[in-house]
Amino acid sequence: MNGSSGTRRSWRRLPPRRPRLRGWGGVAAMAGACAVALTATLLPLLPCDAATQGAEPSRGPGVAQARQVSVDDSCTHPEASLRPSSASGDAVKRIQQNGYLTVGVDQNSYLWGYRDPETGQLVGFDIDLVKAIAKEILGSDARIVYKTIPTDQRITAVQDHLVDMVVRTMSITCDRIRQVAFSTAYFEVGQQLLVPKTGTAVTGFDDSLNGRTVCAASGSTAEALLEAQPHGSHLLRVPNQLDCLVRLQLGQADAVLTDNALAAGQAAQDPAVHLIGQPLTQETYGVAMNLADTDLVRRVNKVLDDYRSGGANSPWMQAYDKWLAHNLPGVTGPPAPLYKD
């Protein structure tokens, strides 16, 4: 899910009012929620727009055991990060002097980072992790400035220091580690197809895609996979993942390719769609930071070490049980951290 783009118009959709609200109208009916007033700590990069255009994941071990690997030019282990440390270098001190943590997030990835229509607050698995990071760096009364960022602008936002970090279901890839620094992995995913349950000719990531329109977010790993292996399909690019679900609902796309963790949230919003086939890749999510902010990377890795600790009672498992277990069952724990130093 690489980032770099000029000015784009973002077509936003919010999740349903309650996790168990189902139906094709559930996503489109939420456009009005974009008018919810923003709190003082939410600074979106792009405006909310009410227009309509716009098998199981890998299982982590119950107890994550750290490993060390050597990282060479072949990039065998892009998820290898720097060892954790509580030391405060230039980047951590900058955040502390500012008095707040600025984080790039999503506001329309159901279960991960989305706006609760009842409260107007951002919630989800990624948001819980953001709060844990902010508390470690700034204390219990930490102030967080959220910036909602489209998929294809995440890397640019980190490189230009528009945010201190991005916590937005961002896969760690060989291409991306040359542009931004990542924490250790905090979730395992794979690319998978999302299609309507009825009336579709798409049977998998194969020649049944020939002549069909497949939607993917610009700058995503799904986009790169479709460019490399189109199977005769036409690629429809949109700014954000949820835009693809809307296009599928409107009949403007025949299938969606995205992380199966995100797709599980979309299927929870709309019971008329489902995942098919097996995951096509093995990927991990990480927190993205500026390449120069090595002390911040180590500090975030310390947070993640603490976040994973405690087995079934760990903050990680509590967040998984709260947000993901119902729609993404069977995950027994976080991925083990991997270090390169």
Side-chain angles (χ1 to χ4, degrees):
M1 309 169 197
N2 300 339
S4 120
S5 138
T7 300
R8 289 182 180 271
R9 194 173 184 184
S10 178
W11 308 104
R12 304 282 189 185
R13 288 298 173 275
L14 293 180
R17 179 170 293 274
R18 292 183 175 86
R20 299 193 184 279
L21 177 62
R22 304 295 179 103
W24 277 77
V27 176
M30 294 179 293
C34 288
V36 174
L38 300 177
T39 65
T41 56
L42 179 66
L43 304 176
L45 293 183
L46 296 180
C48 200
D49 195 319
T52 55
Q53 273 179 285
E56 299 294 327
S58 304
R59 304 306 184 199
V63 178
Q65 299 293 326
R67 294 185 294 138
Q68 180 173 341
V69 299
S70 60
V71 179
D72 55 27
D73 290 339
S74 65
C75 188
T76 305
H77 296 283
E79 71 276 22
S81 186
L82 300 175
R83 288 197 173 274
S85 172
S86 59
S88 296
D90 291 342
V92 172
K93 290 178 181 177
R94 180 188 70 235
I95 294 166
Q96 292 172 337
Q97 290 169 358
N98 287 339
Y100 55 85
L101 180 70
T102 305
V103 188
V105 296
D106 199 357
Q107 68 171 2
N108 58 18
S109 287
Y110 185 50
L111 307 178
W112 291 91
Y114 71 100
R115 189 180 299 286
D116 184 337
E118 294 182 343
T119 65
Q121 300 298 309
L122 288 173
V123 294
F125 188 92
D126 278 348
I127 304 304
D128 282 1
L129 177 55
V130 169
K131 291 176 180 178
I133 294 170
K135 182 178 180 180
E136 162 67 21
I137 296 175
L138 295 168
S140 57
D141 295 327
R143 181 186 171 199
I144 304 169
V145 176
Y146 296 104
K147 293 191 176 183
T148 57
I149 299 178
T151 301
D152 63 353
Q153 294 182 25
R154 292 174 300 184
I155 287 179
T156 301
V158 170
Q159 290 177 328
D160 293 346
H161 269 132
L162 299 176
V163 295
D164 296 311
M165 61 187 64
V166 165
V167 185
R168 193 189 180 285
T169 58
M170 189 168 180
S171 297
I172 306 169
T173 69
C174 291
D175 179 58
R176 289 177 186 161
I177 62 172
R178 298 181 178 93
Q179 303 175 75
V180 296
F182 280 98
S183 69
T184 53
Y186 67 85
F187 208 87
E188 295 176 328
V189 297
Q191 296 298 312
Q192 201 165 347
L193 282 171
L194 185 75
V195 300
K197 288 183 177 177
T198 61
T200 180
V202 177
T203 58
F205 194 70
D206 51 33
D207 289 344
S208 67
L209 294 175
N210 187 36
R212 309 294 174 182
T213 299
V214 184
C215 187
S218 295
S220 67
T221 47
E223 177 191 38
L225 182 57
L226 282 166
E227 288 175 338
Q229 303 177 51
H231 290 289
S233 66
H234 307 293
L235 173 57
L236 173 62
R237 298 175 177 86
V238 295
N240 290 295
Q241 304 287 352
L242 190 59
D243 301 336
C244 280
L245 178 58
V246 175
R247 295 299 184 95
L248 194 64
Q249 292 171 333
L250 294 174
Q252 298 173 359
D254 299 294
V256 174
L257 186 63
T258 187
D259 304 350
N260 52 9
L262 288 173
Q266 294 180 7
Q269 289 174 280
D270 188 345
V273 302
H274 68 152
L275 288 159
I276 62 169
Q278 296 298 314
L280 304 168
T281 60
Q282 289 184 323
E283 304 170 31
T284 52
Y285 292 156
V287 178
M289 291 155 279
N290 192 282
L291 285 170
D293 293 346
T294 55
D295 66 303
L296 182 58
V297 175
R298 295 185 187 277
R299 191 67 168 265
V300 169
N301 285 341
K302 178 184 181 300
V303 176
L304 285 170
D305 267 5
D306 296 338
Y307 207 66
R308 298 182 189 100
S309 299
N313 296 317
S314 69
W316 191 98
M317 284 303 302
Q318 291 176 24
Y320 166 75
D321 289 339
K322 178 180 180 180
W323 298 110
L324 306 174
H326 179 74
N327 297 293
L328 199 67
V331 177
T332 57
L338 201 59
Y339 299 114
K340 60 184 177 182
D341 64 343

